[in-house]
Each structure stands twice: as structure tokens, then as C-alpha cells.
Amino acid sequence: MTEPSTPLPVDGLFEPFAVKSLNLKNRFAMAPMTRAFSPDGVPGDDVAEYYRRRAAGGVGLIITEGTYIPDPAAGPHTRVPRLYGDESLRGWKAVVDAVHAEGGSIIPQLWHLGVERGDGPRLNPDAPTVSPSGLALDGTPLGRAFTTADLDDLRESWVAAAVNAKDVGFDGIELHGAHGYLLDEFLWARTNVRTDGYGGSLHARTRFPAEVVAAIREAVGDDFAIVYRYSQWKSNHYDARLADSPAELEQVLAPLVTAGVDVLHASTRRHWEPAFTDLTGADADLGLAGWTKKLTGLPTITVGSVGLDKVFTTAFTADGASGTVGIDRLLAQFEGGEFDMVAVGRALLADPQWVHKLQAGRADDHIPYANVHREVLR
């Protein structure tokens, strides 16, 4: 995608947006980013202040870091927050109240890592790592495959987390179905080689994620917003594809829409890149969010290196610094109707006032991302 010849106005991104229980003051979301700053899974006052600062800085929607659902094999770390247990839920209530006090909205990202939990977890080390087929992302055996009975219990764990989120006062939820984590492992042919009704064809591989969405929808009611994050790429497998064509992508997304998803969050590393590079014609330059909206009609969130000149893969290494860049390509995509909201990640880590500065015409004052110090995560 080429840069527009003349600057485009940012006003459209500051228009309100609403879908079911989400009533947002603008189109900016904070992208979910794992921090591991919640000892024993409990978000404390520092976590509340971290999110409050971004809401105070103008972000319309906070999407929290991934938070474990109540399954013993959900993840490996003791310092990742959890969406179960009285103490953790009290912590999240304080976070929600802090964001609401600044006029922001907030949803938690519900997370189960599946095989990406690994074989040496600190949290619940006696619980085996489980996944659709007991296969790591590179196709080698790791852990064990889910039985059908496991899936019944697992589905209820997702539901319990969603109900907890609603009870705490969150404005909706996001399901982490991207990056090679559990729900994505069902969708991807390399990690799902099941021979029952949950594997095989692309349609069958969508069955369990769609069942999770449908069960949550039944439990939380029609008006509670469900966001679903998905991706083509997987952790350390950036050339992975769920779908090689728009027609295949529609097969992945349609069951999720039917099951009750309200917003689709299309995760990419570079928001401006075409989703399908072998296409020609008017839609050849559409990004993943653009194709998602075209195929489903649902509101979409775009994401990927917004405001920065490097992708996130080196973000937490010594050479992970990124300079600031303009958002003309993002604005062109918005003008073209490709997305409804934009999620900003590392730029907001570096600069909690990023949105306010953009609105005030002070983009030149944006702080570059230079994370070689954990303090930037505050």
C-alpha cells in the first residue's frame, strides 16, 4: 500500500463507536500485551494504574493482557493474571473501576495457551499440557490430545471466565483465538489432525472454537459484546496460513459469526500488508481486517506496527527499539472502510498519551519505543 499523496484527517478515528455493550468514545483500542506483573495471578494496584494511565491518555477501549481461564493447563506462568478466584476477581474489579473513572471501556482477553504452555510449566506443574492433537507448533509430539470429555470441561472453563468478566463489570470480552494458542490450534491443520468431528476438514476444525463462542453467548446473553482475535501467523511461524484465499477465510470466520461473535480482531504484524498477495483487481490491497469485514459484515479491529517503524518480533530484545512514523497508511485504510477500530500496542507502552497527542496535532511529540528496560511496561 502506497502512502496517500496528501495527509488525511484523523477526525474519523475520534468518532464514537458502539456495538452491543461496548460504547466507545473513539476508535482506538489498546492491544493486549502480556506483562506477567500479577503475582499469583492477582492484578494489583500497579496493574490498575497501568491501564488507568492509558484510558486517561485517550484510549477508547482497553483490551487487557491475556488472562488465564479456570483450566489447570491454561498457561505456564504464576505471574500472568487469572480470571477466576476471589482475590484475582477483586483485583480486576479495581482495574475496571479505574478505567471507567477515566471514561474508558475495558474488556479482558480470555487466554488458554494449549500446547504453547510447554513441558515445564511453573503453574500447576502436575497438570499435563493438552491440545487438539498433542502436537507442538512444529508438528512434534508434546503433551497429550484432548478427549471428547476434556472438551466438555474445557468449554465450561471458557464460559466460567466469561461470566466472571461480566460479573466483575467488564464491558465485554475478547477470546484469544490467534498466534498458535489453543483455539487457533484447532483451526490450523498442522496442530489439528484429529479424526473425530473436531478435525479433518476446515469446517470441522472450526467446530470447537464456534462451540465455545455459542456456549459463552448463551451464558452472558445477547447484549454482552464478544470480540474474537484471530491470525494467520503463529508464534515463530510467521508464514503460517489458516486460509490461502478469501473463500477459505470465509469458511473459518462464518461459523464464528453464526455462533455469536460481534467484533473480529484481525491480528497482523503489519496492518498495511495485503492479506492475499496473489490477488489482482480492486481488492488486491485489502489487509486482513479489510477482508474480514468484507466477508462477514462485522465490525473489525486492525493491528500491527501502528505508529512504529519495526515489527514487534524483536520488541523485548536489546535491538527492539522502534522509531515513530506517521499513520497515513492507516488513515487511508480507514477511509476505505477496511476497519472500525485500531489497536495500538508498543506505541502505547512507550507513550500513554499517544492518542491525546495525535488528536491535538502533536504526533511529532510521540515517544519512540525503546524497550530494553521493563520500566516501559509501567
Side-chain angles (χ1 to χ4, degrees):
M1 186 177 199
T2 58
E3 294 281 0
S5 57
T6 57
L8 294 169
V10 301
D11 300 17
L13 293 177
F14 288 92
E15 294 175 354
F17 183 74
V19 54
K20 293 194 175 177
S21 56
L22 292 178
N23 290 283
L24 310 179
K25 62 185 178 183
N26 59 39
R27 308 303 182 96
F28 291 97
M30 181 177 185
M33 291 170 284
T34 298
R35 302 172 65 236
F37 278 11
S38 297
D40 297 321
V42 179
D45 293 343
D46 59 328
V47 176
E49 175 62 11
Y50 165 79
Y51 288 119
R52 185 205 65 78
R53 290 180 66 198
R54 275 73 190 178
V59 176
L61 176 64
I62 301 291
I63 307 175
T64 76
E65 62 211 277
T67 180
Y68 292 158
I69 67 173
D71 180 85
H77 299 300
T78 60
R79 292 176 57 88
V80 166
R82 304 166 202 167
L83 204 45
Y84 60 93
D86 291 345
E87 194 173 359
S88 292
L89 296 179
R90 281 194 297 270
W92 278 124
K93 178 65 164 60
V95 174
V96 169
D97 290 347
V99 170
H100 285 168
E102 297 291 350
S105 298
I106 181 169
I107 62 176
Q109 186 185 71
L110 278 54
W111 196 21
H112 192 305
L113 280 74
V115 76
E116 282 290 89
R117 177 177 181 250
D119 56 5
R122 297 189 192 95
L123 179 62
N124 301 323
D126 294 334
T129 290
V130 282
S131 65
S133 300
L135 297 175
L137 299 192
D138 62 3
T140 59
L142 197 160
R144 68 169 179 83
F146 288 115
T147 67
T148 303
D150 288 335
L151 295 183
D152 292 338
D153 293 338
L154 180 61
R155 195 181 303 109
E156 291 309 307
S157 293
W158 287 95
V159 170
V163 171
N164 285 344
K166 184 175 182 180
D167 290 345
V168 161
F170 282 104
D171 298 292
I173 57 168
E174 175 171 279
L175 305 183
H176 200 337
H179 307 168
Y181 297 123
L182 184 126
L183 295 178
D184 196 24
E185 291 161 17
F186 276 92
L187 295 175
W188 196 27
R190 181 182 291 184
T191 47
N192 184 351
V193 296
R194 298 175 70 94
T195 57
D196 60 5
Y198 292 97
S201 69
L202 184 55
H203 177 75
R205 298 199 305 271
T206 66
R207 178 180 170 185
F208 184 72
E211 286 183 352
V212 168
V213 173
I216 289 174
R217 173 58 69 210
E218 182 177 2
V220 299
D222 291 339
D223 294 330
F224 196 62
I226 299 175
V227 181
Y228 193 99
R229 195 180 213 210
Y230 84 97
S231 67
Q232 294 268 40
W233 65 272
K234 322 298 171 198
S235 299
N236 296 319
H237 296 270
Y238 299 114
D239 58 349
R241 313 283 288 178
L242 287 180
D244 290 320
S245 68
E248 288 187 354
L249 183 60
E250 187 172 21
Q251 291 182 59
V252 173
L253 300 178
L256 301 173
V257 175
T258 299
V261 167
D262 300 301
V263 178
L264 285 160
H265 186 174
S267 180
T268 60
R269 296 194 296 153
R270 304 173 183 88
H271 68 83
W272 61 87
E273 289 186 340
F276 302 102
T277 57
D278 56 347
L279 298 181
T280 59
D283 295 330
D285 287 337
L286 281 182
L288 190 61
W291 273 111
T292 300
K293 188 171 182 178
K294 182 180 179 68
L295 293 171
T296 68
L298 287 189
T300 61
I301 303 173
T302 195
V303 70
S305 301
V306 175
L308 298 176
D309 62 5
K310 286 187 180 179
V311 297
F312 69 89
T313 48
T314 60
F316 300 105
T317 66
D319 62 348
S322 290
T324 61
V325 295
I327 60 167
D328 287 344
R329 286 181 292 190
L330 180 78
L331 293 171
Q333 288 176 304
F334 184 68
E335 290 284 323
E338 289 198 40
F339 64 88
D340 300 274
M341 290 177 277
V342 54
V344 183
R346 290 166 294 147
L348 276 173
L349 289 184
D351 191 349
Q353 290 288 318
W354 192 90
V355 175
H356 275 337
K357 289 177 181 179
L358 182 68
Q359 187 174 26
R362 297 172 49 215
D364 289 346
D365 294 335
H366 281 154
I367 299 171
Y369 177 84
N371 182 43
V372 292
H373 305 294
R374 287 175 66 84
E375 286 76 8
V376 77
L377 294 177
R378 303 291 185 180

